[in-house]
Amino acid sequence: MIRKDADWAFQQYEAVREVLPKAEFPDTSRHARNLGELAADFDVFLLDAFGILNVGETAIAGAAAQVAALQAQDKRVLVLTNGATYPAELALAKYTKLGFRFALEDVVSSRDALAVELRDRQDGGFWGVMGASGSKLETVPAATRLLLLDREVYDAAQGFLFLSTTEWSFEQQEMLHASLAANPRPILVGNPDIVAPREDGLSLEPGHFAHELARDLGFEPQFFGKPFTNVYDLAFSRLGEVDSSRVLMVGDTLHTDVLGGAAYGVKTALITDHGLFAGREVAPYISKSGIQPDFILPTT
Ligand SMILES: [Mg+2]
């Protein structure tokens, strides 16, 4: 049994590095105590959710007050999340319950980035969806059917949307593998994450299953969300005119948040005390990957 910890996740991301965006990084990182110390240097803060705002169903201590303080200084604060299980409305309701004050347009999700692509792609037929029963597929701008255990649905789909693994089984993954092996079709991945930290360890996310199929069947899925450009394009489309040197991406992962921000040409900050690297020394991961953030902060 492979223990799926931060080391395992790190190796998985490094193994697919060639399909991730390329970026340039600073030689060293500056250390600060929290985002408040960086407020004067930036106008826009793009915040990852898990590890920055919350861990599971709990707000990170002080995070809501920090975000409110930035907002009170007229800083624009957006949430940039790879969550695709639910529409942004439900993510917003969760952040609001945890004490954050965001408007709906402040929440930019990988699911929204995927929706932009789907609106331009009226191929006819329907998409088979790796999703959850609560995924509200009626809000996806295309014809869809949830993938369960009916092989005919897999075979009839024009392509596949990967939104959520919360109800995905290895039996379903095998069925999808067999259907794609017989008839290759496009896969659009609405959450490129390989793992997500949960209360009881790391869960395997849509990115994991997409990379596995890509490796086994030799094709290239299309990814929507961090570290890829499309979700940053969507965020910037909501910002209007901004000086990108005064935009900071803040996250708890190197291969999604820091790599994605650097590839897009904005400054990056890694939060170390919550999320993926909680309880670990981050320096070895930074030197092994070469993914160097501009700033390192213990907390939001
Ligand atoms: Mg995170």
Side-chain angles (χ1 to χ4, degrees):
M1 172 88 188
I2 303 164
R3 196 175 141 74
K4 294 182 179 59
D5 60 6
D7 281 329
W8 183 85
F10 181 86
Q11 286 160 16
Q12 298 297 306
Y13 279 113
E14 282 292 291
V16 298
R17 194 69 186 271
E18 77 277 8
V19 304
L20 304 182
K22 304 285 175 277
E24 303 213 347
F25 304 99
D27 294 331
T28 56
S29 304
R30 274 172 55 192
H31 290 260
R33 274 182 303 181
N34 56 49
L35 291 177
E37 293 190 357
L38 306 181
D41 296 330
F42 297 99
D43 301 324
V44 178
F45 292 80
L46 306 176
L47 306 185
D48 175 36
F50 191 99
I52 309 307
L53 305 180
N54 63 291
V55 172
E57 299 307 312
T58 310
I60 287 171
Q66 188 63 260
V67 169
L70 292 173
Q71 289 167 328
Q73 296 171 71
D74 280 332
K75 307 296 179 184
R76 198 65 201 281
V77 185
L78 302 190
V79 182
L80 204 55
T81 171
N82 276 0
T85 301
Y86 308 111
E89 285 82 353
L90 294 187
L92 174 65
K94 175 180 171 170
Y95 307 143
T96 302
K97 207 177 94 195
L98 293 176
F100 297 93
R101 293 291 167 265
F102 293 112
L104 185 56
E105 67 264 23
D106 298 333
V107 180
V108 182
S109 73
S110 54
R111 175 162 162 152
D112 295 333
L114 171 61
V116 171
E117 168 79 9
L118 287 172
R119 276 188 216 107
D120 293 341
R121 234 174 132 131
Q122 302 298 341
D123 326 46
F126 70 90
W127 296 88
V129 180
M130 171 195 282
S133 40
S135 282
K136 296 194 179 294
L137 295 185
E138 67 276 13
T139 69
V140 173
T144 57
R145 286 183 70 179
L146 195 60
L147 296 169
L148 298 169
L149 286 169
D150 181 350
R151 173 70 191 262
E152 283 175 20
V153 177
Y154 291 72
D155 290 346
Q158 62 164 337
F160 300 92
L161 308 180
F162 285 16
L163 300 184
S164 177
T165 55
T166 56
E167 296 169 13
W168 192 246
S169 66
F170 287 98
E171 201 178 353
Q172 285 160 291
Q173 178 73 4
E174 273 175 27
M175 204 170 269
L176 177 58
H177 184 288
S179 181
L180 280 167
N183 175 20
R185 282 151 291 163
I187 294 183
L188 310 188
V189 184
N191 176 357
D193 287 356
I194 291 176
V195 295
R198 306 275 173 207
E199 278 80 355
D200 54 351
L202 296 179
S203 59
L204 295 176
E205 294 300 309
H208 167 80
F209 294 100
H211 288 300
E212 187 179 86
L213 289 167
R215 191 183 58 228
D216 292 353
L217 299 172
F219 67 95
E220 288 177 18
Q222 240 182 305
F223 292 97
F224 297 86
K226 297 172 293 183
F228 299 92
T229 305
N230 38 50
V231 78
Y232 289 91
D233 284 339
L234 183 59
F236 271 73
S237 76
R238 294 190 192 174
L239 289 171
E241 191 88 345
V242 287
D243 174 355
S244 60
S245 71
R246 291 186 55 85
V247 177
L248 182 68
M249 174 69 215
V250 185
D252 67 311
T253 68
L254 293 172
H255 292 87
T256 54
D257 304 314
V258 176
L259 176 61
Y264 206 74
V266 302
K267 294 282 191 291
T268 62
L270 181 71
I271 301 282
T272 56
D273 282 7
H274 315 286
L276 190 64
F277 294 116
R280 289 170 186 264
E281 196 61 54
V282 295
Y285 298 102
I286 291 173
S287 62
K288 265 185 251 169
S289 64
I291 302 174
Q292 184 90 38
D294 292 287
F295 300 93
I296 295 177
L297 322 178
T299 191
T300 312

